[in-house]
Amino acid sequence: MTDHDTIFALSSGATPSGVAVIRISGSAAFDAAGFLVENLPRIRAMVLRSIRRRNKELIDTGLVLVFPGPGSFTGEDCLELQLHGSRAVVNALFAELTALGLRPAEAGEFTQRAFNNGKLDLVEVEGLGDLISAETEMQRRLAIEQSAGGLSRRYNAWATALTRSRALIEAELDFADEDDVPGSVSDQVWADVGRIAQEIDRQVVATQKAGSIRDAYKVVILGPPNAGKSSFLNALVERDVAIVTEIAGTTRDVIEVDLDLEGFLVRFSDTAGLRDTADIVEQEGIRRARLAADQADLVLLLEEIDSTPQQYPDITHDRPLLRIGTKADKHRPSRRDFDFIISVSSGEGLEEIRQAIIERARANWSSIASLGAGRLRHISHLQKASNFLQEALKGSQLDLRAESLRLAADSLGRITGRVDVEDMLDVIFSEFCIGK
């Protein structure tokens, strides 16, 4: 990518479509469009115009939106042409733009120019990417908070407060003999530093929990063979996604299904039955079941109602767990250690379990909604900032404590892109679609 080029792209999705939006950005945008658009305004405007080839042959008639820089998304001179969404119209316009010396944009290049020109910081860029890919209501709400700058303001406020604290400390170090700099001025800053450290620690927890909103709330179905795990999954998603037989060990791999439950993306994982077996393939399936359970937000342990209670402490000891008794249509409940009793055949208990899962996902959301939460990338920088603040709070030498505050502020700056982040830019912008 080079910011010296003027770029163009179809920003409205694949053709054919009702309307095609072609975006143009760069220093030559207005000059190039002037060859194709009659009476092109050079001020911020939306006009209906004919779009023609350089030989004046009509391509189409449509809306032209003009955004002079720096008051545009990218900070450069920008145009949007809204035409009829046929392949022929779009291809004809692209051919003319290419002949005029413009080039097709790469994935995420418009957004990268917005970042380079200070229109967005890196946190807002990531939020915009999440908003584009959001599939559920909660994913949208999480992305909106981030892309609108709320999270960036929090990070920047912490960094600014730490910079001010460091300035007060360094003033004491450099001008301790001056009457207008009290010798105990640095004592005033440590209460604020401690408060910021606590807020950052809370932000780390919120960001970790946000993974279950952004990527999915992970529910893993465990249990012995023939406990009804696959039947339970099929009943929950209301279609046959897992093979169900009376043969023990039918499920050999982890089967995943995503559901939108009242705005929350929930990923259900059906797993191989847990038992001792000499079958190498089944052993691998059980290993994968254990791995899935280690990464779960919630484990559903299914057992047939009249079976002997099973314990799996190596799998479920640190995971939220619901015990579910199955095949209630065949057995009278004889155990009291089940959280739910279900029958796939009659549907008994299924809605109650669905609501229990939703409530747990909602509680997870409630714990982070007031804080907002970024991507997992942020966690390592937040943890580094927290560690530097602890060093500053516990230190004895004032100059070293001030340096710890500087390092903490720099760690926060790496989240927003204020401090050098060149090594991660290509990865982040490659996640965007062409035309954004």
Side-chain angles (χ1 to χ4, degrees):
M1 296 183 186
T2 170
D3 286 352
H4 300 298
D5 297 336
T6 298
I7 57 175
F8 65 88
L10 177 65
S11 296
S12 53
T15 57
S17 59
V19 176
V21 178
I22 291 87
R23 177 178 288 176
I24 306 170
S25 182
S27 58
F30 290 173
D31 290 338
F35 287 100
L36 309 177
V37 179
E38 297 177 344
N39 301 319
L40 177 72
R42 298 299 180 103
I43 61 172
R44 194 177 188 89
M46 180 175 66
V47 295
L48 180 66
R49 289 289 188 270
S50 297
I51 292 89
R52 299 180 180 274
R53 297 183 188 271
R54 287 165 297 156
N55 64 7
K56 303 306 179 183
E57 177 186 338
L58 182 66
I59 296 176
D60 197 5
T61 299
L63 289 176
V64 180
L65 285 73
V66 182
F67 305 98
S72 68
F73 174 70
T74 63
E76 305 172 326
D77 289 341
C78 287
L79 287 156
E80 285 188 2
L81 307 179
Q82 298 185 8
L83 310 176
H84 293 96
S86 77
R87 294 188 181 93
V89 168
V90 172
N91 290 340
L93 181 57
F94 280 8
E96 292 299 312
L97 293 174
T98 301
L100 288 167
L102 281 60
R103 69 166 174 83
E106 298 179 26
E109 190 167 3
F110 288 97
T111 305
Q112 181 158 2
R113 292 190 177 199
F115 171 76
N116 292 341
N117 293 324
K119 308 297 287 187
L120 298 171
D121 67 26
L122 203 55
V123 174
E124 293 168 324
V125 165
E126 291 172 325
L128 180 59
D130 289 340
L131 183 60
I132 292 171
S133 60
E135 296 180 348
T136 69
E137 172 62 13
M138 296 306 169
Q139 289 176 332
R140 181 195 66 79
R141 289 169 62 178
L142 193 66
I144 280 289
E145 171 66 17
Q146 188 172 339
S147 64
L151 200 55
S152 296
R153 287 190 290 273
R154 183 175 297 113
Y155 292 154
N156 289 331
W158 290 335
T160 300
L162 293 177
T163 300
R164 179 181 178 278
S165 297
R166 183 164 58 91
L168 291 173
I169 293 172
E170 291 179 350
E172 179 174 320
L173 289 170
D174 293 340
F175 306 105
D177 56 342
E178 300 291 337
D179 292 338
D180 57 346
V181 181
S184 61
V185 68
S186 65
D187 294 339
Q188 304 172 18
V189 310
W190 297 117
D192 285 341
V193 170
R195 173 184 56 79
I196 293 172
Q198 292 176 351
E199 291 177 357
I200 289 176
D201 289 341
R202 287 197 294 270
Q203 192 68 48
V204 169
V205 175
T207 303
Q208 290 170 332
K209 290 184 176 180
S212 66
I213 304 294
R214 180 178 293 104
D215 301 322
Y217 187 79
K218 301 177 181 65
V219 178
V220 174
I221 305 169
L222 290 181
N226 285 343
K229 300 185 298 298
S230 296
S231 297
F232 171 68
L233 177 64
N234 290 343
L236 276 180
V237 303
E238 298 179 343
R239 65 180 189 274
D240 290 337
V241 294
I243 298 173
V244 178
T245 74
E246 295 296 328
I247 302 173
T250 298
T251 302
R252 300 295 187 95
D253 204 348
V254 178
I255 300 173
E256 295 183 339
V257 181
D258 289 351
L259 285 183
D260 182 345
L261 297 182
E262 297 189 11
F264 295 96
L265 180 63
V266 180
R267 178 165 299 142
F268 292 93
S269 298
D270 183 25
T271 62
L274 302 176
R275 65 171 178 173
D276 294 328
T277 177
D279 188 307
I280 296 177
V281 176
E282 193 174 353
Q283 288 176 357
E284 175 61 19
I286 294 171
R287 186 191 70 82
R288 295 186 183 189
R290 293 172 181 272
L291 180 61
D294 286 341
Q295 300 170 347
D297 296 300
L298 175 64
V299 173
L300 304 181
L301 182 58
L302 271 64
E303 297 175 285
E304 195 166 348
I305 288 173
D306 69 342
S307 63
T308 302
Q310 300 292 314
Q311 300 296 326
Y312 306 100
D314 57 326
I315 298 179
T316 60
H317 71 283
D318 63 345
R319 298 286 91 187
L321 174 70
L322 292 177
R323 288 185 172 271
I324 299 173
T326 64
K327 306 182 183 181
D329 55 309
K330 297 182 179 180
H331 310 288
R332 296 183 62 183
S334 57
R335 290 166 48 187
R336 297 184 178 181
D337 57 344
F338 292 122
D339 297 298
F340 294 94
I341 300 295
I342 67 168
S343 167
V344 170
S345 299
S346 67
E348 177 186 349
L350 295 179
E351 183 58 29
E352 288 80 1
I353 292 175
R354 186 180 284 106
Q355 289 302 317
I357 294 169
I358 292 171
E359 287 305 313
R360 286 172 177 263
R362 185 174 288 118
N364 193 41
W365 166 259
S366 298
S367 68
I368 69 172
S370 61
L371 294 175
R375 293 188 173 188
L376 295 181
R377 175 185 74 84
H378 303 184
I379 292 177
S380 63
H381 298 301
L382 289 170
Q383 289 175 331
K384 287 179 182 178
S386 177
N387 291 338
F388 286 129
L389 292 183
Q390 293 304 322
E391 290 179 5
L393 289 168
K394 296 176 182 178
S396 56
Q397 290 185 245
L398 204 53
D399 55 344
L400 295 180
R401 299 175 82 181
E403 175 64 10
S404 294
L405 293 183
R406 183 188 71 80
L407 293 172
D410 282 354
S411 295
L412 295 172
R414 288 184 177 276
I415 302 176
T416 61
R418 183 175 57 83
V419 178
D420 180 41
V421 289
E422 290 296 324
D423 56 340
M424 69 181 72
L425 292 183
D426 289 343
V427 174
I428 291 173
F429 289 111
S430 67
E431 298 175 1
F432 282 75
C433 55
I434 300 294
K436 190 60 182 173

